[in-house]
Amino acid sequence: MTYLPPGLPAPVTEADRLDLPYWEGTRQGVLKVQRCGACNTWQWGPEWLCHHCRSWDMRWVAVEGKGRIWTWTRCWHPVHPALKNHGPYLAVLVELPHAGNVRMLGNLLGDPQQEVVIGAAVEAVFEPHDEAAAPYALVQWRIA
Amino acid sequence: MTSDTRSLRGKVAIVGIGETTYYKHGQSPEPEFKLALMAILAAAEDAGIDPSDIDSFASYSNDRNDPSRLAAALGTKELRLSNMQWGGGGGGGAAAVGNAAAAIITGQADIVVVYRALAQGQFQRFGRAAAGGTVSGDNALINPYGIFVPAQRYALKFMRYTHEHGIGREAMRAIAMASYHHAQSNSRAVMYGRPLTEEMYDSSRWIAEPYRLFDCCQENDGAAALILVSAERAKDFRHPTAYVLAVAQGSDHRNAARSFNAPDFASSSFGPVAPHLWEMAKLGPGDVDVLQSYENFTGGVLMSMAEHGFFKPEEANEFLALENLLAPRGKLPLNTSGGNLAECYMHGLELQIEAVRQIRGQSTAQVPDAHVAGVIAGPMVTPVSTMIVGSQETL
């Protein structure tokens, strides 16, 4: 069971493989973001070098899938054919305080009409899409 | 510091403006390239010049209508400048004028047309995603969660901003109603004859919270164009001259950090840009007589105005009362042609044209003695851009 109906575009690793460790991690139930080996700066999304000290030594670090809601939207208008007649759904931008406050987007699981509170604690849930031509897993969030 | 020699102030003028009929999206009977030609010819006629004397072309948002083809079609005697603002979509509207002005000042162009044409029936719409397939890069971190279009992406920004600053729905509604109010005196406007009431706004459907239908711009077909020449040449033209007083473009620190990781994500992107504008214009927010501020979404207008210093974020609810935003006598008349919401989503170039009309005294919602007009191009993207035009009296 996936949060959104089938037919949305499937994520694939970039041709240059910059984000390969992230997508490999989500399939194994591990959430990885970048951290600079030289200055310890956290970085998300991925980039080739550290935005703080310009080191090329960017490492992939497993982080605990816990965060808090930084902002959100409840989407009503179906902008994609797969969402037609689906009804509203929630997207949350989650901040990870233990990983330099990097933010990542996901859906907030549960009732799409639920009240959403900025600052609420959430935890990651890995959502497998094993049926895809190139299987992947999304990172979703539920109230902790 | 911007020295006088490193400034656009008063050195370039907008001497011609033109647009096609504005249509609802998909309803233009003409193809997009023909719309572009029609707008350019209208601007040349307004300026009183032979269209083949236009030697330079500038646009933004990857406009599909290539200057070399336009030049061949128009019989352009000599093509000198073919310029595209890189990135930022509708955020590039003022930057295209700035790029054109810079080319004129530095001797790379003489008569420049800044143009934009859209026929979204012929091509893909902005507000609807294509079906199926795969996505990579930043989109892989966003699209599988059902976030595709600007309304959704920029809902995330403004939702946070409303949380931080206590913004009320009434402020958003006033922005929408100002545009619709002004469109009712503008027969070019797509929403001419279709006024918006508070009840209609309040009961309109959600698109992506906190945006309702009337917080979101239209999508339209049409084209618009402006003709720029040096200030020296401008004296020979027939309309009162609208001078470019300042243009600034850019965005804040790491604005495009992937997965919505811009440090100042809950913003219009004008934080560091607006000070450059005021410095070059040698003016401040209090000097602006009339403001055109790009409404992709009402929340973007609110943040743009705050970041330009028209009010502090905590003053937004008070400042954005409808009576303050209406021509002729409001404190700061806003989007006096109807703007993107109610005149036409000509990707913001209709706002530039309206600023020129205000300086000329030709607006359908004229502000008396308008000498300084601001134009803020599309907010919340990167890069954004912003400009000031002024009358002869401001030089």
Side-chain angles (χ1 to χ4, degrees):
Chain A
M1 188 63 189
T2 56
Y3 180 77
L4 291 174
L8 292 172
V12 294
T13 299
E14 283 177 274
D16 62 13
R17 299 166 75 86
L18 170 62
D19 57 4
L20 179 64
Y22 171 78
W23 291 110
E24 286 180 341
T26 62
R27 286 209 75 205
Q28 296 158 3
V30 179
L31 185 59
K32 289 182 177 175
V33 298
Q34 285 186 317
R35 192 171 198 189
C36 177
C39 76
N40 288 328
T41 293
W42 296 93
Q43 183 160 286
W44 191 248
E47 193 46 273
W48 290 108
L49 79 174
C50 172
H51 70 268
H52 183 70
C53 77
R54 262 68 61 185
S55 166
W56 298 100
D57 185 17
M58 295 310 294
R59 300 175 183 184
W60 287 89
V61 179
V63 296
E64 196 179 6
K66 289 190 184 302
R68 56 191 180 212
I69 296 171
W70 195 79
T71 188
W72 63 281
T73 182
R74 186 172 2 244
C75 300
W76 293 78
H77 184 67
V79 298
H80 187 281
L83 297 166
K84 205 169 180 192
N85 303 318
H86 173 72
Y89 56 94
L90 283 167
V92 287
L93 188 61
V94 173
E95 180 181 61
L96 274 53
H98 54 288
N101 292 326
V102 298
R103 301 178 206 131
M104 46 184 67
L105 191 75
N107 297 119
L108 183 64
L109 302 182
D111 181 1
Q113 304 268 26
Q114 68 187 283
E115 185 188 357
V116 184
V117 178
I118 287 177
V122 289
E123 58 190 18
V125 178
F126 294 89
E127 182 187 277
H129 288 251
D130 294 334
E131 77 296 344
Y136 61 92
L138 297 179
V139 181
Q140 305 286 25
W141 300 89
R142 68 179 170 216
I143 297 295
Chain B
M1 287 292 289
T2 303
S3 72
D4 279 351
T5 54
R6 294 183 61 212
S7 172
L8 300 175
R9 194 182 199 286
K11 296 175 181 173
V12 168
I14 300 167
V15 296
I17 53 177
E19 71 264 299
T20 65
T21 300
Y22 291 146
Y23 302 95
K24 293 192 170 214
H25 72 84
Q27 294 189 1
S28 170
E30 310 290 357
E32 189 177 88
F33 188 76
K34 188 173 174 185
L35 292 170
L37 290 170
M38 292 165 76
I40 293 169
L41 290 179
E45 184 179 355
D46 178 73
I49 62 168
D50 182 335
S52 66
D53 286 332
I54 296 168
D55 57 51
S56 296
F57 298 80
S59 190
Y60 58 100
S61 196
N62 298 329
D63 189 281
R64 287 174 283 254
N65 305 289
D66 169 45
S68 292
R69 182 181 169 197
L70 288 168
L74 291 166
T76 299
K77 290 168 190 157
E78 178 194 12
L79 176 62
R80 297 197 63 198
L81 183 84
S82 173
N83 175 263
M84 173 58 69
Q85 168 72 1
W86 200 354
V97 171
N99 296 341
I104 290 169
I105 292 168
T106 54
Q108 301 175 78
D110 284 315
I111 303 180
V112 188
V113 63
V114 175
Y115 66 98
R116 184 80 178 103
L118 282 172
Q120 298 205 41
Q122 189 181 353
F123 298 101
Q124 170 78 31
R125 284 181 62 188
F126 292 114
R128 188 157 298 164
T134 60
V135 283
S136 66
D138 201 17
N139 284 337
L141 300 171
I142 294 168
N143 294 168
Y145 303 104
I147 299 297
F148 291 90
V149 300
Q152 301 169 323
R153 292 167 182 262
Y154 304 142
L156 292 166
K157 288 180 184 269
F158 192 58
M159 185 69 88
R160 178 74 192 191
Y161 192 91
T162 63
H163 171 77
E164 290 179 358
H165 299 294
I167 304 299
R169 177 174 64 178
E170 292 77 9
M172 299 166 69
R173 184 174 67 195
I175 292 167
M177 291 190 66
S179 291
Y180 270 81
H181 175 90
H182 291 132
Q184 302 318 308
S185 57
N186 175 5
S187 61
R188 298 181 308 275
V190 173
M191 295 299 173
Y192 179 65
R194 299 181 64 184
L196 176 66
T197 65
E198 290 187 356
E199 293 71 29
M200 286 166 66
Y201 176 92
D202 290 346
S203 63
S204 65
R205 64 190 171 94
W206 289 115
I207 300 298
E209 296 178 37
Y211 296 141
R212 295 174 180 276
L213 177 65
F214 290 110
D215 292 304
C216 304
C217 64
Q218 310 174 76
E219 293 191 65
N220 297 105
D221 291 356
L226 302 94
I227 291 176
L228 279 67
V229 300
S230 69
E232 296 79 56
R233 290 182 76 147
K235 296 175 179 65
D236 302 331
F237 288 80
R238 58 186 177 187
H239 293 293
T241 306
Y243 293 89
V244 177
L245 297 184
V247 182
Q249 62 161 293
S251 60
D252 43 348
H253 178 60
R254 302 191 68 234
N255 187 294
R258 290 180 179 192
S259 185
F260 304 134
N261 274 269
D264 195 15
F265 177 73
S267 80
S268 67
S269 314
F270 281 107
V273 179
H276 294 296
L277 180 80
W278 300 128
E279 185 184 358
M280 185 183 288
K282 299 180 179 172
L283 296 167
D287 299 312
V288 174
D289 298 314
V290 57
L291 180 66
Q292 318 301 326
S293 185
Y294 187 114
E295 326 99 297
N296 36 16
F297 308 100
T298 54
V301 176
L302 188 153
M303 294 190 291
S304 294
M305 292 177 73
E307 286 165 33
H308 277 74
F310 290 104
F311 47 76
K312 295 187 176 72
E314 55 270 27
E315 299 165 345
N317 293 331
E318 186 186 351
F319 190 99
L320 294 169
L322 182 58
E323 64 268 21
N324 288 340
L325 308 180
L326 299 184
R329 306 255 169 240
K331 189 190 292 184
L332 182 63
L334 177 71
N335 295 333
T336 48
S337 70
N340 283 330
L341 293 179
E343 184 187 28
C344 174
Y345 179 76
M346 204 53 256
H347 227 182
L349 208 58
E350 83 286 353
L351 302 173
Q352 259 86 333
I353 288 178
E354 174 63 10
V356 172
R357 285 203 168 102
Q358 286 285 354
I359 297 302
R360 290 180 178 181
Q362 297 174 348
S363 172
T364 53
Q366 184 63 44
V367 173
D369 300 317
H371 292 293
V372 177
V375 187
I376 302 174
M380 302 185 280
V381 298
T382 174
V384 293
S385 64
T386 176
M387 63 186 270
I388 303 283
V389 294
S391 68
Q392 177 80 39
E393 284 77 1
T394 63
L395 298 184

